[in-house]
Amino acid sequence: PFSFHVFAGWYLLFGDTLDTQRVFGLLHHLGTTFALYTLAALVNIIGLLWSAGVAMRFRSLQAAPLMQLPVFLSLFFAPVFVPVELLAGWLQTIAHLNPVTLMLAAGRSLIAGQPAHIAGAFGAAFALIGLFSLWAVRGLRRAEAAGGG
């Protein structure tokens, strides 16, 4: 994996002493922990922007299920409890197209200490943030145009 190449480069630059290994290990753990928490924060921002867009459009508590249902479905059609390879044909296809699958895979790989699919997960997260930012801003403008009430 990529971290092995970084580790080899670290050895070439700083040597292979025990202190060098400890510093690299600490930096590696801090980096993966930071990436995991950043990805989690981005996923929360995605949910916030979706919910804000719905709330601004409907301006009613009765819209709460509309905020929750797409989040539930995106998790339902992602391999949360079962590996992608074990899913049925049509569900496996949907899971591969679901951006949440990338973010889950990246999070799992960070927890396992073997980062994989990180760039794709962050790319998908930022794309969804861009999309749902437009959704939330348009909802806010719609609510402003409708006035109070």
Side-chain angles (χ1 to χ4, degrees):
F2 178 72
S3 60
F4 178 74
H5 299 297
V6 173
F7 190 51
W10 180 272
Y11 268 10
L12 288 175
L13 286 174
F14 300 107
D16 60 353
T17 64
L18 183 59
D19 288 335
T20 303
Q21 292 176 13
R22 287 181 179 163
V23 170
F24 180 83
L26 176 65
L27 292 176
H28 184 264
H29 288 301
L30 289 175
T32 56
T33 302
F34 178 75
L36 183 63
Y37 277 98
T38 303
L39 187 61
L42 293 175
V43 169
N44 281 293
I45 290 169
I46 292 166
L48 168 80
L49 291 170
W50 165 257
S51 297
V54 172
M56 292 298 125
R57 279 173 172 73
F58 290 94
R59 296 179 292 145
S60 169
L61 286 176
Q62 293 175 343
L66 292 175
M67 296 176 196
Q68 298 168 358
L69 186 63
V71 175
F72 169 74
L73 289 176
S74 67
L75 289 173
F76 180 75
F77 289 123
V80 176
F81 300 112
V82 179
V84 177
E85 298 78 28
L86 297 179
L87 295 174
W90 67 273
L91 196 54
Q92 188 177 36
T93 303
I94 292 173
H96 281 296
L97 296 174
N98 188 351
V100 175
T101 301
L102 261 178
M103 292 182 255
L104 284 172
R108 286 179 181 147
S109 71
L110 286 167
I111 290 171
Q114 299 174 345
H117 309 293
I118 305 302
F122 276 94
F126 283 120
L128 287 173
I129 286 174
L131 179 72
F132 289 140
S133 291
L134 293 172
W135 165 258
V137 168
R138 290 187 69 196
L140 179 62
R141 289 189 180 141
R142 187 173 174 183
E144 287 174 342

